[in-house]
């Protein structure tokens, strides 16, 4: 059975917010991105940076016109504050390398945001 940690009431973690839960060795960041909850270890697998201090960002891809760019999926990625590596919050997958930051399941029950397995 997975461990359960009550993070906050739903109204205490509104869309666009994040909190670091003091579980495990480094803590776990729990994010509410437009009503979708994600949780990642506060530890970058590249060099051990404090991931949850990093800036939320989106995805930049090539546009249809030559030399153009398209910015999408705003706030679905986090950038490590130490070296700028970017990771998808939902999967933990790095954007430019074959490494992942650990992710955790988050559920909402009876108005509580609950972190599982941390």
């Amino acid at each position: 059975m997975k461990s359960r940690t009550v993070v906050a009431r739903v109204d205490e973690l509104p869309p666009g917010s994040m909190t670091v839960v003091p579980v495990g060795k480094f803590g776990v960041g729990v994010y509410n991105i437009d009503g979708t909850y994600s949780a990642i270890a506060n530890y970058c697998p590249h060099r051990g940076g404090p991931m949850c201090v990093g800036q939320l960002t989106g995805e930049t891809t090539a546009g249809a016109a030559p030399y153009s760019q398209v910015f999408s999926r705003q706030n679905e990625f986090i950038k490590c504050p130490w070296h700028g590596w970017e990771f998808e919050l939902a999967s933990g997958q790095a954007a430019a390398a074959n490494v992942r930051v650990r992710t955790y399941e988050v559920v909402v029950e009876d108005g509580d945001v609950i972190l599982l397995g941390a």
Side-chain angles (χ1 to χ4, degrees):
M1 182 171 180
K2 292 181 179 178
S3 65
R4 299 168 56 89
T5 303
V6 176
V7 174
R9 300 284 302 163
V10 169
D11 60 346
E12 295 171 334
L13 196 62
S17 65
M18 179 279 284
T19 188
V20 176
V21 181
V23 294
K25 190 172 182 179
F26 302 100
V28 173
V30 179
Y31 295 81
N32 179 347
I33 306 298
D34 297 329
T36 299
Y37 295 92
S38 300
I40 62 168
N42 188 22
Y43 183 85
C44 178
H46 172 226
R47 295 285 182 181
M51 286 297 298
C52 299
V53 177
Q55 176 185 3
L56 291 176
T57 186
E59 182 176 52
T60 303
T61 56
Y67 306 107
S68 66
Q69 300 176 345
V70 176
F71 187 76
S72 62
R73 303 178 62 192
Q74 187 167 357
N75 294 333
E76 293 184 27
F77 293 80
I78 187 161
K79 183 182 292 190
C80 176
W82 283 7
H83 298 105
W85 284 34
E86 295 178 356
F87 297 85
E88 183 181 34
L89 284 174
S91 69
Q93 180 62 50
N98 191 22
V99 293
R100 295 180 65 235
V101 64
R102 186 170 180 179
T103 59
Y104 299 89
E105 186 178 357
V106 180
V107 296
V108 175
E109 293 177 357
D110 299 325
D112 289 329
V113 178
I114 300 170
L115 175 66
L116 300 177

